[in-house]
Amino acid sequence: MKYLTEDEIEQYQLQLLQNLGYSYSNGYDIQPEGIKQERESFGEVILKHRLPQAISRINPTIPHDAQYQAQREIFNIASSDLLNNNEIFHKYLTEGITVEYQKNGETRGEPVKLIDWEHPENNEFLAVNQFTVIEDNHNHRPDIVLFINGLPLVVIELKNAANKKANLNAAYNQLQTYKRRIPSLFTYNALLVISDGLSARAGSLTAGFNRFSTWKNPTGENQINELEILTNGLLNKQTLLDLIRHFTVFEKSKTEDLKTGIVSITTIKKIAAYHQYYAVNKAVESIINASSQEGARKGGVLWHTQGSGKSLSMVFLAGKLVLNENLQNPTIVMLTDRNDLDDQLFDTFAGCQQLLRQDPQQAGDREQVRQLLNTNSGGIIFTTVQKFSPADGETLYPQISPRPNIIVLADEAHRSQYGFTAKQVNVLDAEGNVIGKRTKYGFAKYIRQALPNATFVGFTGTPVEQTDKNTPAIFGEYIDIYDISQAVKDGATVPIYYESRLVQVDLDAAGRQLLDELDEDLSFEDLSTTQKAKAKQTKLEAIVGSTKRIRQIAQDIVTHFEARQQVNKGKAMIVTMSRQIAVNLYDAIIQLRPDWHSEDLNLGKIKVVITTSAADEGNLVKHHTSKAQRQNLAQRLKDPENSLELAIVCDMWLTGFDAPCLHTMYIDKPLKSHNLMQAIARINRVYFEKTGGLIVDYLGLATELKKALSFYSQSGGKGDLTLNQEVAVGLLLAKLEIVEQIISGFTYQHYFEADTGEKLNILKNATNYVAAPNIKDRFLSEVIALSKAHSLAVPHPQAIAASETISFFQAIQASLRKLEGSGDSGGLSNQDIETAIRQVVDQALVSDAVINIFDEAGIKNPDISIISDEFMAEVRGMEHQNLAVELLQKLLKDEVKTRSRTNIVQSRKLSEMLEDALRRYRNQVISVTDILEELLELAKDTKAANARGEELGLEPYELAFLL
C-alpha cells in the first residue's frame, strides 16, 4: 500500500501557488553553495538580490543611495523583542521607509516603498520549499516560505493528513519552536499558515492555536479541501497584499498592576478572519457608492453576531476608508448610545493607531463635538448620540459641516435613539412644575441636521426587527450577515446553553402585567411616564427581592458555581433586577462563604459592580466605586488568574464587555429582545477549550428567548440563541457510552470500591489494555470529547452521577499521556495541557501517582543510553507488553528529536524506520512481540552509533559528516 506523504502534500501546495502566479525555487538550490545560490549564509533570511531590484523597480525616482539607506533600515531591525521587531517592520512595509536625499540643491524626504500596493503584478511572488535557517546553532527548515520582493512574509508548515500524530496541533507547535529558535525569520513575517493537507488555518505571529482560523469562499460553497480554499482565497496576490496592508493590527491594551500601580502595555498582533475581510470590503464599496454625488447617503448595515469581532471590523473599515482616494481624506464619526460603549470602542481604536494612521479623538461634551467636526478634512471622532442634543434655546440642531466625505459608523444601530420621531415633552421650572410643552425629535434627525451630507453605516450584533422602520431609513439595507450558526461553526464563538432553575416568585396576574409593561414604559423619556415606571419597578423589586428568595438564590448560586468550577476554569456574572437586590444578594452569598469577601478592591472572590448615587444609603454605600476602580475590577474579572471569579451587575457590563473566561451567567432580571441577546452573548467568547457558555435562569426567560429567536430567524439569522442544557446531558451520556464500549473488554467496576494501592494496580492494567494499537487513539480522542461534554453538563444530577466513572477514564488518559512525546512531532498541544476543562481525576490519586511506566521500570530521566542487555531482557519480560512498546517508542522519539539538532539526515532515517515499524504494529500487521523486538533492535543500533562517535572522540555534529 502506498501511503500519502508530507512531501506529496508539499508538492501539491507548491503547485497551487504556481497556479496563482508564484515563481518557485527549491531551498537547496538557492542556499549557500547551491546551484542557483542566492544566500551568503544560512543566517540570511532576506533574498538580498531580489529586494534591491524590487525597490528600484517600485521607486524609480529615488536615488540608489537613498534606496540603499532604506534597505539598511530593514536589515538593522535586531532587538531582542521579536514582536517589537515585527511591528517596526510592518510599519516599514505598509507605510514605506522615509529617507532624505538632495535634489536640485534641496533636501527631500520621501518614503521608499517596499511593495507596490496598487499594482500587485509589479511585485515578485516566490515560493521556496525546504528553506534552511541556522541561528544560534539551531538548524530548522520550514516547509514553505513565501517571499514578496525578497522578503519572507509567509511561513507555511505542513503535516501529513494520513498520520494521526502529524496534525494541525503539531504544525502549530512546530511554528512556535521556529519562533523561539530562528526568530530572525519571523521579524519579517506577515502571516502563518498550518495545514495537514485537508484542514488549513491561518494566524498571526502572536495567535494561540484557537485563534488560527479557516478561510472560506465568499459564496459559501466550500466543496474542495481547506488547503486549496485557503491558498486560492487568501494567498492569491491581491487578497494577500490587501490583508497585510489593511487587515493587520498590533492592538495595544493597558493593564495596571493592582499592587504597585505600574501600568504595562500588552501588544497582540491580529489579522482579520474571512468574514471580517469580505464584510469590510463590501462596506467600503457600498460607502463609496452612497457618498457619491448621486448616492443616497445610506451605507448599509453589517449584522455580525456578538463576540465575532465586530469592534475590530469597525477598526479595519475605518483604516481602509481613511486611505481611500475616492473619499479624499474623510472624517470618520464613531457613534454609540452609551458612555461605557463609547469608552470601550475608543480604547479599541486607540490601541490600533498604526493602521488608522492617526490618533482618534473622543468628544467630552456637546460643545466639543461641534469643535471636532468643524474641520476641513480628516479625523476619527468618537461621540455618543446624546451629544447631538440641541443646546438650551435651540429648537433645531445647527449645521456643523456640509461635507459629503463624512462617514458615520453607528454601533448597535437598531436602537430607538437613532429615530426621527417627534414627541411632546414637558417643560419644567426650577421647582419641577410643568410650565409648558416642547417638541423633541429622535437623535437621527439632529445628526442629519448637523451633517446633512454624511453617509451612515450601521453595525449591529443582533438583527433589525421587521417592525423597525428607523434603521433602514437611516442606514439602508444589510451589507453583510454573519449569524450565530456560522460563528459557532467557524469557532469564532462558542454555543450558549440554557438551564432553568426558577426560584418561586409570588407573582399574581397583576404582578405579571407590571413585569410586561415595565420595559416598555422605561423606553420613554418624559418624567411622568418614567415616574410611573419607577413605581412599577419598586413593586416588582419588593417581590423579586424578598429576603427569603434572595437567600434561596444565594445558596443555589454558591452550590452551582462551585460544581461548575470543578470542571471549568473560568468565571461568572450574576445579573440582578436592581442595585439594592445586587448588594442584598452579595450579603447573602458572603454569609454562606465569608472567605469570598474582601474590603480591598484588589482582593476577594466576588464584587458588586453598579452605578452609584450621592443619595445612596445603607449597604449600597460600601459598594460605591469610581470609574477608575470599576476599570480595575473589569481588569480583574478578565484576568483568568485573578482571584475575582464572580461579578454581580444590574446594567453595567451587559453590552460591549469582553471577558473570554466568563463561562456562566446567572440571570434574575427581566430582559427582552436585543437586550437579552446582548447580555447572554457575554459568555460566548472563545477561551482555550471552553466548549460553551451556560445561562442559568432564575426568573423565567424561556418565553422571551423564544420571542427573540423568532424575530432573529425571521430576520434571516440561522442557529439557536441558546441550547437547552438537556442537549449537553444527552451528549455527555452518548460520549460516556462510547468510551464504555471501547473499554468493555476490561473489567474495572471494582476500581471504585478499592483502596489506593489496589486502584493503582487496576489503573496499571487498564492502561496496558488501552495502550493496544487498535484501542489507544480512539480511547484518547473520545475521553477528550467526554471531558468537554462533562464540563458543559455539570452540575446536572446525571453529570454529577457520571463523574466517578469519568475520573477513572481520565486517570487512564493521564497515564498514557506521560508516555507521549512532548516535542514537535504531534505531541500534546498547549490546549491539551492548559485546557479550560479541568480534569476530575480521582482525588485519591495525586498527579504524580498516576502510572508512570518509567518509574515502574525503575528508570529516572530515561534516554537511549539506558539500553543494555539487562534492560532489554527486562523489557522482554515485562508483564504489560503494550506499555513496554509505549516506553520504547518514547525513548526512540526523544532520540529522534535530540539528533535532529545535529544530524538531520540520520534523525530523519531513524524517524522513518520508527514510524514504519509503528505503522505496521498499529495496523496489526505485526504482533506486540514482533514490534518489541524491532524497537529493541532499533534502540540497540542507535546506541551503538552513538558509541562509535565516543570512540572516535567526535562531537555529534562532527560524526554527522561520517554517517
Side-chain angles (χ1 to χ4, degrees):
M1 175 185 276
K2 188 177 185 301
Y3 295 98
L4 185 67
T5 67
E6 191 173 308
D7 181 64
E8 289 172 323
I9 295 171
E10 185 178 294
Q11 294 304 317
Y12 168 68
Q13 170 70 348
L14 290 168
Q15 186 59 56
L16 289 175
L17 291 165
Q18 289 176 80
N19 293 345
L20 294 174
Y22 283 74
S23 301
Y24 164 67
S25 290
N26 188 295
Y28 293 115
D29 293 343
I30 64 172
Q31 71 185 27
E33 300 184 6
I35 58 174
K36 297 178 182 178
Q37 179 179 339
E38 294 193 38
R39 305 167 67 196
E40 295 298 323
S41 73
F42 285 106
E44 284 186 5
V45 296
I46 293 175
L47 302 181
K48 291 186 176 179
H49 297 294
R50 295 177 186 259
L51 178 60
Q53 291 171 4
I55 289 177
S56 180
R57 184 172 64 251
I58 297 167
N59 305 273
T61 63
I62 297 178
H64 286 291
D65 287 348
Q67 293 179 15
Y68 182 67
Q69 180 186 335
Q71 290 178 54
R72 284 206 311 271
E73 293 293 331
I74 299 170
F75 298 136
N76 290 338
I77 305 172
S79 78
S80 59
D81 185 336
L82 173 59
L83 183 57
N84 181 62
N85 293 344
N86 188 246
E87 185 175 4
I88 292 170
F89 172 72
H90 182 78
K91 185 177 176 68
Y92 288 165
L93 187 67
T94 54
E95 298 180 25
I97 303 170
T98 300
V99 295
E100 291 185 349
Y101 60 91
Q102 294 289 321
K103 187 169 184 180
N104 299 328
E106 294 181 356
T107 300
R108 292 193 175 189
E110 194 172 343
V112 173
K113 296 179 181 178
L114 305 181
I115 287 180
D116 188 338
W117 301 106
E118 284 71 32
H119 308 95
E121 295 304 323
N122 195 31
N123 302 290
E124 182 186 45
F125 291 76
L126 174 70
V128 178
N129 64 329
Q130 303 303 313
F131 186 78
T132 300
V133 179
I134 300 177
E135 187 171 350
D136 292 335
N137 293 322
H138 294 303
N139 184 323
H140 289 286
R141 191 171 56 252
D143 291 324
I144 299 175
V145 179
L146 304 186
F147 292 83
I148 302 179
N149 297 338
L151 297 165
L153 298 187
V154 182
V155 177
I156 303 173
E157 187 63 22
L158 302 170
K159 294 297 177 184
N160 187 349
N163 185 336
K164 290 182 180 179
K165 297 295 182 185
N167 52 23
L168 288 179
N169 271 322
Y172 172 81
N173 290 338
Q174 187 79 55
L175 288 178
Q176 305 317 301
T177 300
Y178 293 161
K179 279 162 53 179
R180 290 192 307 271
R181 294 181 175 175
I182 50 171
S184 61
L185 176 64
F186 294 89
T187 291
Y188 310 101
N189 182 260
L191 184 70
L192 299 173
V193 175
I194 55 176
S195 178
D196 62 2
L198 297 177
S199 299
R201 306 282 188 274
S204 76
L205 190 66
T206 62
F209 180 76
N210 61 6
R211 288 299 180 186
F212 271 67
S213 57
T214 55
W215 194 267
K216 296 191 176 178
N217 291 326
T219 60
E221 296 177 6
N222 298 292
Q223 301 301 318
I224 53 179
N225 67 73
E226 288 183 8
L227 180 57
E228 187 170 345
I229 293 169
L230 186 145
T231 304
N232 293 336
L234 174 56
L235 299 182
N236 71 78
K237 297 177 181 181
Q238 186 169 346
T239 302
L240 180 58
L241 293 186
D242 195 17
L243 188 88
I244 293 170
R245 189 185 189 193
H246 296 297
F247 294 89
T248 302
V249 293
F250 289 79
E251 188 177 38
K252 300 183 185 302
S253 57
K254 294 179 181 178
T255 53
E256 182 180 345
D257 188 303
L258 300 175
K259 294 180 180 177
T260 65
I262 296 173
V263 175
S264 58
I265 296 177
T266 303
T267 303
I268 301 175
K269 185 178 183 181
K270 296 183 177 181
I271 59 173
Y274 79 91
H275 67 277
Q276 294 171 309
Y277 177 82
Y278 293 134
V280 167
N281 279 331
K282 283 196 273 185
V284 170
E285 184 178 347
S286 178
I287 289 166
I288 291 171
N289 291 334
S291 61
S292 66
Q293 194 168 356
E294 301 79 23
R297 303 295 184 261
K298 298 176 184 179
V301 177
L302 280 89
W303 165 20
H304 281 201
T305 194
Q306 296 105 326
S308 64
K310 179 161 60 77
S311 296
L312 209 53
S313 295
M314 297 176 86
V315 172
F316 294 137
L317 177 57
K320 197 153 193 183
L321 291 175
V322 298
L323 293 180
N324 191 284
E325 293 180 356
N326 294 300
L327 297 174
Q328 299 176 345
N329 194 14
T331 298
I332 313 294
V333 181
M334 303 303 304
L335 201 62
T336 61
D337 65 349
R338 287 177 51 173
N339 287 329
D340 56 342
L341 293 180
D342 188 47
D343 290 339
Q344 289 162 8
L345 195 57
F346 177 77
D347 288 343
T348 300
F349 271 65
C352 303
Q353 182 273 337
Q354 193 269 328
L355 179 74
L356 301 171
R357 307 296 198 274
Q358 58 198 290
D359 291 318
Q361 305 293 314
Q362 189 173 27
D365 53 36
R366 288 186 296 186
E367 185 57 36
Q368 195 176 8
V369 169
R370 300 186 185 192
Q371 291 172 3
L372 290 171
L373 284 172
N374 190 17
T375 180
N376 292 325
S377 64
I380 298 176
I381 299 162
F382 280 75
T383 180
T384 57
V385 292
Q386 290 82 357
K387 293 187 179 76
F388 281 93
S389 299
D392 293 340
E394 291 179 340
T395 304
L396 300 177
Y397 199 94
Q399 177 176 295
I400 298 175
S401 175
R403 287 191 293 117
N405 66 338
I406 296 176
I407 315 298
V408 179
L409 305 183
D411 195 16
E412 300 307 340
H414 57 266
R415 293 189 183 155
S416 59
Q417 284 91 329
Y418 297 116
F420 287 99
T421 310
K423 58 184 175 182
Q424 298 297 306
V425 296
N426 293 328
V427 178
L428 308 175
D429 63 15
E431 284 75 38
N433 300 312
V434 178
I435 58 173
K437 296 278 186 180
R438 69 181 176 89
T439 302
K440 185 176 182 180
Y441 293 93
F443 290 111
K445 184 174 180 66
Y446 296 136
I447 297 170
R448 281 292 193 199
Q449 289 172 340
L451 309 169
N453 297 312
T455 296
F456 287 72
V457 179
F459 281 77
T460 179
T462 54
V464 178
E465 295 182 68
Q466 291 182 327
T467 56
D468 179 0
K469 305 301 182 188
N470 285 324
T471 302
I474 302 166
F475 303 105
E477 302 303 323
Y478 286 127
I479 303 171
D480 192 68
I481 295 176
Y482 188 66
D483 57 28
I484 292 172
S485 173
Q486 195 60 55
V488 171
K489 186 177 178 181
D490 291 341
T493 63
V494 298
I496 300 172
Y497 290 82
Y498 170 83
E499 179 183 6
S500 177
R501 297 178 75 84
L502 299 185
V503 175
Q504 187 63 41
V505 181
D506 297 323
L507 205 60
D508 58 16
R512 293 197 178 278
Q513 184 69 20
L514 287 174
L515 192 64
D516 290 338
E517 294 173 358
L518 181 62
D519 275 3
E520 185 178 343
D521 285 350
L522 285 174
S523 66
F524 291 94
E525 294 180 359
D526 59 288
L527 186 64
S528 58
T529 308
T530 305
Q531 285 175 329
K532 290 177 186 176
K534 284 182 178 177
K536 292 177 183 178
Q537 178 140 352
T538 301
K539 292 178 184 177
L540 279 172
E541 285 178 17
I543 300 167
V544 174
S546 68
T547 303
K548 178 182 177 183
R549 187 172 179 278
I550 290 293
R551 286 176 180 166
Q552 279 183 278
I553 290 176
Q555 181 63 67
D556 192 72
I557 286 175
V558 167
T559 305
H560 189 280
F561 184 66
E562 288 180 334
R564 291 277 292 163
Q565 288 298 84
Q566 288 180 12
V567 292
N568 290 275
K569 182 182 180 183
K571 304 194 177 189
M573 190 181 283
I574 304 168
V575 184
T576 63
M577 192 172 175
S578 72
R579 298 183 309 129
Q580 189 62 60
I581 292 175
V583 297
N584 289 348
L585 182 58
Y586 177 89
D587 291 341
I589 289 174
I590 64 170
Q591 266 194 321
L592 298 169
R593 295 292 183 272
D595 56 318
W596 289 11
H597 167 77
S598 175
E599 297 290 341
D600 190 336
L601 278 177
N602 297 327
L603 301 172
K605 192 170 183 174
I606 183 170
K607 295 293 178 188
V608 176
V609 183
I610 53 175
T611 53
T612 57
S613 166
D616 287 342
E617 298 176 351
N619 58 354
L620 279 170
V621 176
K622 66 181 180 181
H623 295 285
H624 277 200
T625 50
S626 65
K627 181 178 178 180
Q629 288 172 325
R630 289 194 292 274
Q631 287 174 338
N632 274 354
L633 289 174
Q635 182 181 315
R636 287 191 64 202
L637 193 69
K638 291 178 181 183
D639 179 359
E641 303 305 321
N642 192 280
S643 60
L644 179 60
E645 295 182 356
L646 280 162
I648 306 179
V649 303
C650 296
D651 297 304
M652 302 196 78
W653 296 359
L654 293 185
T655 54
F657 184 77
D658 191 7
C661 56
L662 279 176
H663 61 52
T664 307
M665 178 177 279
Y666 301 95
I667 302 181
D668 191 39
K669 175 180 181 172
L671 292 169
K672 294 182 179 181
S673 191
H674 299 287
N675 291 334
L676 176 58
M677 287 190 282
Q678 287 171 337
I680 66 177
R682 297 314 102 205
I683 58 170
N684 76 346
R685 303 313 198 253
V686 173
Y687 172 68
F688 284 108
E689 286 193 358
K690 184 171 91 175
T691 46
L694 178 65
I695 295 295
V696 179
D697 173 19
Y698 288 117
L699 200 58
L701 294 173
T703 301
E704 292 304 329
L705 277 169
K706 287 178 183 175
K707 288 180 183 176
L709 179 59
S710 175
F711 97 75
Y712 174 86
S713 302
Q714 289 168 9
S715 302
K718 298 176 182 177
D720 293 325
L721 298 180
T722 61
L723 302 170
N724 196 296
Q725 201 193 21
E726 295 296 332
V727 174
V729 174
L731 179 63
L732 166 68
L733 297 177
K735 290 297 179 185
L736 182 60
E737 184 177 350
I738 289 171
V739 177
E740 288 174 336
Q741 287 173 350
I742 292 172
I743 200 172
S744 59
F746 180 82
T747 303
Y748 61 86
Q749 285 70 20
H750 56 299
Y751 171 88
F752 305 106
E753 287 77 40
D755 59 28
T756 301
E758 181 59 21
K759 279 184 174 181
L760 288 171
N761 285 329
I762 297 169
L763 183 57
K764 180 170 63 176
N765 291 325
T767 305
N768 181 65
Y769 176 84
V770 169
N774 59 330
I775 296 176
K776 179 185 168 185
D777 287 340
R778 187 170 178 230
F779 176 85
L780 290 174
S781 173
E782 292 296 344
V783 170
I784 290 171
L786 174 62
S787 299
K788 290 180 180 180
H790 186 239
S791 75
L792 284 175
V794 165
H796 192 281
Q798 286 180 282
I800 298 297
S803 293
E804 195 174 27
T805 304
I806 294 170
S807 78
F808 174 64
F809 298 148
Q810 289 175 339
I812 299 171
Q813 177 192 42
S815 297
L816 285 170
R817 280 180 166 179
K818 289 205 169 188
L819 294 169
E820 292 277 3
S822 59
D824 309 322
S825 58
L828 297 178
S829 68
N830 289 335
Q831 295 155 279
D832 292 321
I833 299 162
E834 297 181 60
T835 177
I837 300 162
R838 293 180 174 174
Q839 303 293 291
V840 291
V841 175
D842 191 333
Q843 294 304 303
L845 304 175
V846 295
S847 59
D848 289 338
V850 175
I851 299 300
N852 187 321
I853 300 304
F854 297 114
D855 290 344
E856 287 288 303
I859 305 164
K860 301 294 182 185
N861 301 319
D863 59 53
I864 204 75
S865 65
I866 65 167
I867 300 293
S868 64
D869 291 340
E870 293 78 13
F871 174 83
M872 294 170 74
E874 187 176 345
V875 168
R876 287 189 180 101
M878 279 182 70
E879 177 187 354
H880 304 97
Q881 297 227 315
N882 287 329
L883 294 182
V885 173
E886 297 291 320
L887 181 151
L888 286 169
Q889 178 182 329
K890 171 73 165 67
L891 289 178
L892 288 164
K893 283 189 173 180
D894 286 349
E895 180 65 12
V896 168
K897 188 173 156 191
T898 301
R899 286 185 179 223
S900 67
R901 297 167 191 160
T902 54
N903 191 335
I904 294 171
V905 174
Q906 194 188 33
S907 77
R908 179 165 284 190
K909 182 180 177 183
L910 176 58
S911 175
E912 288 170 355
M913 292 169 67
L914 176 60
E915 286 303 320
D916 178 66
L918 290 172
R919 188 184 296 119
R920 286 182 287 124
Y921 170 57
R922 290 175 190 133
N923 293 337
Q924 300 180 55
V925 176
I926 57 176
S927 68
V928 65
T929 307
D930 295 331
I931 185 69
L932 267 181
E933 289 302 322
E934 286 199 27
L935 293 182
L936 285 169
E937 199 59 36
L938 200 53
K940 187 176 176 183
D941 292 345
T942 304
K943 186 188 178 187
N946 290 348
R948 182 184 170 203
E950 292 174 11
E951 290 171 6
L952 297 173
L954 298 176
E955 293 296 328
Y957 68 87
E958 295 172 315
L959 182 63
F961 287 100
L962 299 179
L963 295 177

